[in-house]
Amino acid sequence: MQRYSLYIDGTQCDSASGQWFHSDNPFTGKPWAEIARGNESDVDRAVQVAHRAFRSGPWKDLTPSARGQLLCRLADLIAENASRLAEIEVRDNGKLFAEMHAQLQYLPQWYRYYGGLADKVQGAVIPLDKKGYFNFTRREPLGVVAVITPWNSPLMLLTWKLAPALAAGCTVVIKPSEFTSASTLEFVELLSAAGFPPGVVNVVTGFGNEVGSALVTHPLVRKITFTGADSTGRKINEQAARDFKHVGLELGGKSPNIIFDDANLDDAVNGAVSGIFAATGQTCIAGSRLLVQAGVHDEVVQRVVALAKTARMGDPMHADTQVGPITTPPQYEKVLSYIGVAQAEGASLALGGGAATRAECGSGWFVEPTIFTGVRNDMRIAQEEVFGPVLSVIRFQTEDEAVAIANDVRFGLGAGVWTSDIGRAFRMSERIESGTVWVNTYRAVSYLSPFGGYKDSGLGRENGIDAITEYLQTKSVWINTGAPTGNPFVLR
Ligand code: NAD
């Protein structure tokens, strides 16, 4: 079995405890790697190293342009290693190679984009209302950033944080999910190869309550950027508030995918299936509530069920597999338990409804693509995030009703609208409370476009030009160019 150690100060090292834990392959259900089990003392070591790298040494002395060049060099190395890294991710999280490979091939764009942005962070000269002073602003990096990531798309979600944090000049300690640590540990070797100085990026693997919380409460960490469950995000936000740390949270969703009577149904049905069954529903932007207008409801249900029925399940490494396993045993149990919840609440099962026992699923943790109809929006299955291949279909009559149902949930991450009426497209994009609205498409993301949540789906934004400001703070500098010092007892 392959072993993965911690990565601190540019080298692999053992954890203080000397303990290891398994990483399992969700398709075989068997362990394939051993990961070092970090603890509080490893976190302290990594944060001290990152703090030193931030305060002094080669990283601090690099010009922003030179930082940008390192990010661009890293982009080239990721492109060269995309297949290898994608394969490791599949072994760890069981998602389709096709999906992980596409993500890996796209990631260099983030490093090129933020690499290009590194030397375009500018302060301002402020046209003051007081004579005899020159006032300007500096935009400075926050310091040590703790990056905490989930298991569903480890390197992509890491990249959304790492690229702007490094472009801003911060240093970083990463804590990957205990279920999918391997790709992050392989990835950081590319940083060394690209020429990043030791200590700028460090990785401490382990569990949330050991490594994660130690990072969140470490006094030298200035920002926590987290992607994961809303319950964890809430805890992190509360802990961080005690030390006035900056926090960025990308949390869960219960996204509405809304099909109106006037939609192109071929596209809408495709979008509905892609919204919930791609990535086995293990995506924060899963379109898990399918709102369908009464006039096309029955036809849409029949066509979505028919298309979902054709989904090929099996080995995620095979090019023709469409639905892979659930990534972790606890998540597998959670998805199955929600199927039970929906049935107990009186939803009608239109497809699936349990563990997949198809021969091609082997001993992996597979759940059949599952569709419930007759769902009311106040049911738990419509309000709580399942994070699996379970779709709730909700019927509506009018546009106002669709908006009310779409917004009547504590999350607000993504939303889909399927319509051929341009006026309705704009109206809906304005009325839906969510960080992203897709019209006649679903599940599209780009390094250029801001991503984040309304309401309980998170704080802050990733991607796009403003994401770098999440890792900066502004300093105002006053130079006296000739103003009298005056009365010491009044405000200047
Ligand atoms: P999780 O919250 O259980 O774990 C995420 C990370 O937090 C892991 O590294 C974990 O070890 C760590 N962690 C756990 N407890 C911690 C604590 N007390 N302090 C600090 N760190 C702690 O989430 P998960 O199960 O890995 O991921 C699934 C969740 O992530 C879903 O809710 C999903 O919606 C969300 N998600 C959100 C986005 C987004 O961008 N909004 C993207 C992907 C996934």
Side-chain angles (χ1 to χ4, degrees), residues 379-433:
M379 291 178 177
R380 281 183 63 197
I381 196 66
Q383 291 288 323
E384 298 173 19
E385 188 184 45
V386 177
F387 218 62
V390 181
L391 181 65
S392 295
V393 184
I394 302 171
R395 184 194 294 259
F396 70 89
Q397 303 288 339
T398 65
E399 189 177 306
D400 283 349
E401 194 191 352
V403 171
I405 295 171
N407 290 340
D408 182 18
V409 68
R410 66 190 177 87
F411 296 108
L413 193 58
V417 176
W418 301 86
T419 178
S420 54
D421 176 343
I422 186 74
R424 170 174 278 157
F426 277 99
R427 281 194 304 277
M428 291 298 287
S429 73
E430 186 180 337
R431 297 179 75 191
I432 292 177
E433 296 164 354

Side-chain angles (χ1 to χ4, degrees), residues 164-199:
L166 293 176
C170 293
T171 58
V172 172
V173 180
I174 304 166
K175 188 240 159 304
S177 166
E178 53 273 38
F179 296 106
T180 55
S181 303
S183 61
T184 299
L185 288 160
E186 294 271 1
F187 168 80
V188 288
E189 297 291 349
L190 301 183
L191 283 140
S192 297
F196 280 84

Side-chain angles (χ1 to χ4, degrees), residues 148-152 157 175-178 208 212-213 216 226-229 232 235-236 250-252 284 385 387 413 451:
I148 303 178
T149 52
W151 41 258
N152 56 335
L157 298 173
K175 188 240 159 304
S177 166
E178 53 273 38
S213 54
V216 172
F226 167 82
T227 298
T232 317
K235 197 183 289 177
I236 288 175
E250 296 291 353
L251 309 176
C284 51
E385 188 184 45
F387 218 62
L413 193 58
F451 181 90

Side-chain angles (χ1 to χ4, degrees), residues 259 269 290 292 296-307 350 371-374 393-395:
I259 301 179
V269 165
L290 184 65
V292 191
V296 292
H297 176 275
D298 293 351
E299 182 183 354
V300 166
V301 168
Q302 177 258 317
R303 290 179 65 177
V304 170
V305 168
L307 183 56
I371 299 175
F372 285 105
T373 57
V393 184
I394 302 171
R395 184 194 294 259

Side-chain angles (χ1 to χ4, degrees), residues 6 15-18 37-45 204-206 210-211 214:
L6 309 183
S15 63
S17 71
R37 181 173 180 170
N39 64 19
E40 198 174 347
S41 105
D42 299 305
V43 166
D44 184 52
R45 190 154 52 105
V204 183
T205 47
E210 294 174 358
V211 174

